[in-house]
Amino acid sequence: MAEPRDRYSAVSLTLHWAIAALVVGQIVLITLAEGASGPDRGLWIMLHKSGGATILVLTLLRLGWRVAHPAIPLPVSTPRWQRVAARLTHVAFYVVLLALPLTGWLAGSAAGRGFEYYGLFDWPLLPIGGGRPLARSLMDLHHALPKLLYVLLFLHVAGALKHQLLDRDNVLRRMLPFLPAR
């Protein structure tokens, strides 16, 4: 019988923290874009779109990795409702991390507005029509999704802190290898 894992793999850790850093970066970039004009605004928007495309690719990689390497189960002492809540939160994270860049990409494609991926090459437009009306509807959804993301982030961090500070069950140590075992 295989021994239970007490930490996630380096690949899982790298994908988790890279996506987390990119999400924080997206918030900073769109805030900078909203306060800028002219070429500066264009630069921040290009970086924001490039970050979104990167999040999309990394989230797809993370989903593939997760299918091949299932999550470590929560401790058996964790109440069932908390295990269900954790699972639903993780599924919702994947949905939002895919939906945010996809709605942005679809909106840009509908409006015929491409971008250069970090200034390196033209990111392809999706073959959809709809023009500005569809682009506006998609951007409305794109602007609403961060609110759900913020709720999920709060739940995720609160759950991790609960496990670390109250339950003292080493769950947070799985994603922060530098933490000492309890």
Side-chain angles (χ1 to χ4, degrees), residues 81-97:
W81 74 267
Q82 289 180 18
R83 283 183 274 143
V84 169
R87 179 79 171 141
L88 290 174
T89 300
H90 281 99
V91 169
F93 257 125
Y94 285 117
V95 169
V96 171
L97 289 172

Side-chain angles (χ1 to χ4, degrees), residues 136-154:
R136 262 190 235 103
S137 295
L138 289 164
M139 283 309 290
D140 287 345
L141 180 57
H142 185 74
H143 290 138
L145 284 169
K147 292 172 182 70
L148 177 56
L149 181 64
Y150 297 149
V151 170
L152 294 171
L153 285 169
F154 172 80

Side-chain angles (χ1 to χ4, degrees), residues 50-64:
S50 298
T54 304
I55 289 171
L56 176 62
V57 170
L58 291 179
T59 301
L60 290 170
L61 287 172
R62 187 162 184 212
L63 275 169

Side-chain angles (χ1 to χ4, degrees), residues 2-3 7 17 27 31 38 51 55 63 67 69 79 83 86 91-92 109 114 116 137 142-143 155 167 169 172 177 179:
E3 285 194 28
R7 292 200 180 155
W17 291 111
I27 296 165
T31 302
I55 289 171
L63 275 169
V67 168
H69 302 88
R83 283 183 274 143
V91 169
S109 296
E116 288 184 19
S137 295
H142 185 74
H143 290 138
L155 292 172
D167 299 342
D169 58 12
L172 186 58
L179 287 178

